[in-house]
Amino acid sequence: MALLCLGKTVLIVLNIVFMIIGLAFTAVGALLAFVPGTILQTLYKTAKETADAAGYSFPKSADDIANVPMVHEVGLALFILGIIFTILAFLGCCGSCSSCCKILLIGFALVMILLMIAEIVVCSLFFVKDSPLHSNVRTQLKEELKHYKENDTNDAFSQTMNLIQVYFECCGVDNSTDYTVKPQTCQSYDIGCYTKLTNVIQDNLLWAGLALGGILLLQLIEVVIAVYIFKNNKILPI
């Protein structure tokens, strides 16, 4: 009986934490996907100051940054992930708190297992340097580079690339040969900006793996507790 009460308490606390995380992801994702200028305003101010200090122009408003590739996609992904986390946490809390809703725990456990599998697949693709995920992102960015105009102040993508190349000391996506004519913003650099990003991921692979392992462990604990509670005929109030 004491173990059952402890299991309920742990499950409720973990689900409250995941619900808060889910709501945060949903809010940030909604802003990025549908009204990006709102959340990008602060980042825009810092980026513009950096660009001005380096002697390069930047888009006239934060709303222009919404045209940069991947902003909408990242926002939509966070929005969907946040909704999934919130619904899952709600199912877990309801199932553990009420005996009449106990069947929700099975749905919670099954969806949580599917989510864990999805996390492993996506993170594996992200951690592997030459995965299809990175290949697709590289391809999309290189397509955008075909329209790159170094001195076009109205082109948010071009000006954002200028800022990234100056600030992170990189050039292009994979390397400087991504450009037909090497821009002035990266005359001194040859390593690509996306290559630099994947190198950072590889350098911190151990910590990233430990973080993923910790999240998966918490989710596994939730699944085990949910199944344990479901198998008991009577759920006692806390």
Side-chain angles (χ1 to χ4, degrees), residues 22 25-36 39 70-84:
F25 278 12
T26 302
V28 173
L31 290 174
L32 278 177
F34 306 115
V35 281
I39 196 170
M70 308 303 292
V71 170
H72 177 75
E73 289 80 358
V74 170
L76 200 57
L78 286 175
F79 180 71
I80 294 172
L81 184 62
I83 290 177
I84 292 174

Side-chain angles (χ1 to χ4, degrees), residues 55-179:
Y56 299 104
S57 57
F58 206 59
K60 297 178 181 179
S61 76
D63 291 320
D64 294 333
I65 305 179
N67 298 319
V68 176
M70 308 303 292
V71 170
H72 177 75
E73 289 80 358
V74 170
L76 200 57
L78 286 175
F79 180 71
I80 294 172
L81 184 62
I83 290 177
I84 292 174
F85 265 81
T86 303
I87 293 175
L88 264 179
F90 179 76
L91 289 177
C93 285
C94 288
S96 58
C97 289
S98 175
S99 58
C100 64
C101 298
K102 191 174 69 169
I103 189 65
L104 292 177
L105 289 175
I106 292 301
F108 168 80
L110 290 175
V111 177
M112 184 64 79
I113 291 172
L114 292 175
L115 180 62
M116 291 170 65
I117 294 172
E119 288 172 358
I120 292 171
V121 172
V122 172
C123 289
S124 297
L125 290 173
F126 186 74
F127 293 157
V128 176
K129 192 172 184 178
D130 298 319
S131 69
L133 174 64
H134 289 304
S135 297
N136 289 334
V137 174
R138 281 190 175 96
T139 299
Q140 183 177 349
L141 291 175
K142 286 182 179 181
E143 282 298 315
E144 290 294 328
L145 277 186
K146 293 179 180 179
H147 309 291
Y148 171 84
K149 298 175 183 177
E150 183 175 6
N151 299 313
D152 187 350
T153 58
N154 295 316
D155 187 341
F157 174 75
S158 296
Q159 297 309 316
T160 301
M161 279 300 301
N162 285 340
L163 180 64
I164 291 173
Q165 289 172 160
V166 170
Y167 191 79
F168 292 102
E169 300 182 349
C170 55
C171 194
V173 178
D174 285 331
N175 49 58
S176 59
T177 60
D178 291 330
Y179 293 108

